[in-house]
Amino acid sequence: MAEIPLFPLQLVLFPGGKTTLQIFETRYLDMVRDCLRNNIGFGLVLIREGDQVLHDADQQLPEIAHCGTYCTIVDFDQHPTGTLEITIEGQVKFSIRDQYESTDRLMLAQVEFLPLEEETPVPTNKQHLVSLLESLASHEAVKALDLVMDFEDARDVSARLAELLPCSNDLKQRMLEMKSPDLRLGEIEKLILKMQSAPP
């Protein structure tokens, strides 16, 4: 068990994934500075219901998913406006055992870090998903993230496709909580078939 700060967002990130965040609320600016100072990370967790930004002191904190991804800050840039732009990378999944808030309303949690998924080769009948990921990886926006991807490992292929394909956060969260890359690839295959059969 470990205590970590939480950053609730309308976003799901997998271990090995990267994304850029704009930080402007004081509680999160302080959290990021503390992370950078002490070389620690924070937990990114999906908002189930409620708002990301607190507009007044009486506003309730959002309801969040019980499983998230522990992230570290790999790059940052301070804007003249005071907004901080950070690039984060997912490291390991965690499960929340208890959650509470600090005096500045930062969400904190006691979490259990979950084992990394076992390395699994992409099955022969799922190689078309590798081709799809290779195609997505050639886009400039994806290149800019500087992702390290093993196209032979079902963990990487399933996680990156789950992040990059257009689908609901609820589905992404469900795939994050799966323990098997093969099951995740199957879910992605069903998603693609559904997208292909949808009317234009």
Side-chain angles (χ1 to χ4, degrees), residues 2-196:
E3 182 185 77
I4 62 171
L6 297 179
F7 199 155
L9 291 169
Q10 294 289 351
L11 176 70
V12 177
L13 191 71
F14 288 69
K18 290 182 183 178
T19 193
T20 300
L21 304 175
Q22 304 290 331
I23 313 297
F24 56 89
E25 281 192 83
T26 301
R27 56 183 172 150
Y28 293 125
L29 288 169
D30 291 342
M31 180 196 76
V32 167
R33 292 188 183 105
D34 186 57
C35 288
L36 290 169
R37 187 184 308 115
N38 296 299
N39 196 29
I40 58 174
F42 59 86
L44 191 152
V45 64
L46 177 67
I47 294 174
R48 290 292 197 190
E49 189 174 335
D51 294 328
Q52 173 186 330
V53 178
L54 291 180
H55 301 286
D56 58 66
D58 297 324
Q59 184 177 333
Q60 284 193 336
L61 293 172
E63 293 182 20
I64 57 175
H66 73 277
C67 177
T69 301
Y70 181 75
C71 301
T72 54
I73 301 166
V74 295
D75 198 10
F76 66 94
D77 185 28
Q78 182 82 52
H79 292 272
T81 58
T83 299
L84 188 64
E85 181 177 282
I86 62 172
T87 300
I88 60 172
E89 182 175 23
Q91 301 297 329
V92 63
K93 294 190 286 187
F94 62 82
S95 181
I96 295 175
R97 298 305 181 208
D98 191 20
Q99 69 181 71
Y100 34 92
E101 60 179 282
S102 65
T103 53
D104 63 355
R105 308 216 67 195
L106 181 70
M107 295 181 75
L108 303 168
Q110 289 285 338
V111 304
E112 177 185 351
F113 293 113
L114 302 177
L116 293 174
E117 296 170 8
E118 292 186 15
E119 183 176 351
T120 308
V122 179
T124 304
N125 65 345
K126 297 289 190 295
Q127 287 298 317
H128 58 289
L129 298 179
V130 176
S131 299
L132 175 60
L133 180 58
E134 288 173 337
S135 175
L136 291 172
S138 67
H139 289 212
E140 291 304 316
V142 180
K143 283 182 179 179
L145 292 172
D146 195 25
L147 294 167
V148 176
M149 290 185 269
D150 184 344
F151 294 101
E152 296 181 358
D153 190 341
R155 296 175 303 177
D156 267 16
V157 174
S158 66
R160 299 295 77 78
L161 284 175
E163 290 169 343
L164 295 172
L165 288 172
C167 63
S168 71
N169 281 328
D170 284 343
L171 177 55
K172 290 178 189 284
Q173 180 68 27
R174 194 163 82 241
M175 289 194 281
L176 176 72
E177 294 175 12
M178 291 177 177
K179 298 176 182 178
S180 164
D182 285 345
L183 284 177
R184 193 177 298 118
L185 286 174
E187 194 70 32
I188 289 167
E189 193 165 45
K190 286 191 285 186
L191 170 66
I192 292 168
L193 288 172
K194 187 176 179 181
M195 290 167 60
Q196 290 172 338

